[in-house]
Tab-separated table of all heavy atoms in Angstrom:
chain	number	residue	atom	x	y	z
A	56	LEU	N	0.231	-15.435	-42.731
A	56	LEU	CA	-0.649	-14.982	-41.664
A	56	LEU	C	-1.899	-14.368	-42.259
A	56	LEU	O	-1.828	-13.416	-43.057
A	56	LEU	CB	0.067	-13.958	-40.764
A	56	LEU	CG	1.348	-14.452	-40.088
A	56	LEU	CD1	1.991	-13.323	-39.300
A	56	LEU	CD2	1.035	-15.625	-39.164
A	452	ILE	N	32.561	13.422	19.648
A	452	ILE	CA	32.007	14.701	19.170
A	452	ILE	C	31.441	15.401	20.396
A	452	ILE	O	30.400	15.002	20.930
A	452	ILE	CB	30.926	14.470	18.111
A	452	ILE	CG1	31.509	13.732	16.906
A	452	ILE	CG2	30.315	15.792	17.669
A	452	ILE	CD1	30.500	13.409	15.813
A	493	PRO	N	26.400	18.173	-1.987
A	493	PRO	CA	26.314	18.648	-3.382
A	493	PRO	C	27.548	19.468	-3.753
A	493	PRO	O	28.145	20.149	-2.910
A	493	PRO	CB	25.050	19.512	-3.378
A	493	PRO	CG	24.259	19.049	-2.198
A	493	PRO	CD	25.259	18.614	-1.178
A	685	VAL	N	-42.080	71.293	12.839
A	685	VAL	CA	-43.089	72.005	12.045
A	685	VAL	C	-43.883	70.950	11.292
A	685	VAL	O	-43.304	70.012	10.743
A	685	VAL	CB	-42.434	72.999	11.055
A	685	VAL	CG1	-43.512	73.672	10.195
A	685	VAL	CG2	-41.646	74.049	11.819
A	776	LYS	N	-14.504	84.543	22.378
A	776	LYS	CA	-13.125	84.983	22.224
A	776	LYS	C	-12.937	86.295	22.968
A	776	LYS	O	-13.751	87.204	22.841
A	776	LYS	CB	-12.766	85.199	20.751
A	776	LYS	CG	-12.541	83.913	19.985
A	776	LYS	CD	-12.015	84.206	18.581
A	776	LYS	CE	-11.748	82.911	17.832
A	776	LYS	NZ	-11.225	83.186	16.471
A	794	GLU	N	-0.183	95.120	20.227
A	794	GLU	CA	-0.242	93.709	19.802
A	794	GLU	C	-1.410	93.057	20.522
A	794	GLU	O	-1.362	92.842	21.742
A	794	GLU	CB	1.061	92.991	20.137
A	794	GLU	CG	1.034	91.529	19.724
A	794	GLU	CD	2.305	90.804	20.143
A	794	GLU	OE1	3.232	91.480	20.634
A	794	GLU	OE2	2.347	89.574	19.984
A	995	ALA	N	30.323	74.907	63.107
A	995	ALA	CA	30.144	76.005	64.056
A	995	ALA	C	29.903	77.333	63.360
A	995	ALA	O	29.360	78.263	63.953
A	995	ALA	CB	31.383	76.130	64.951
Side-chain angles (χ1 to χ4, degrees):
L56 301 177
I452 300 178
V685 177
K776 284 187 178 181
E794 180 184 353

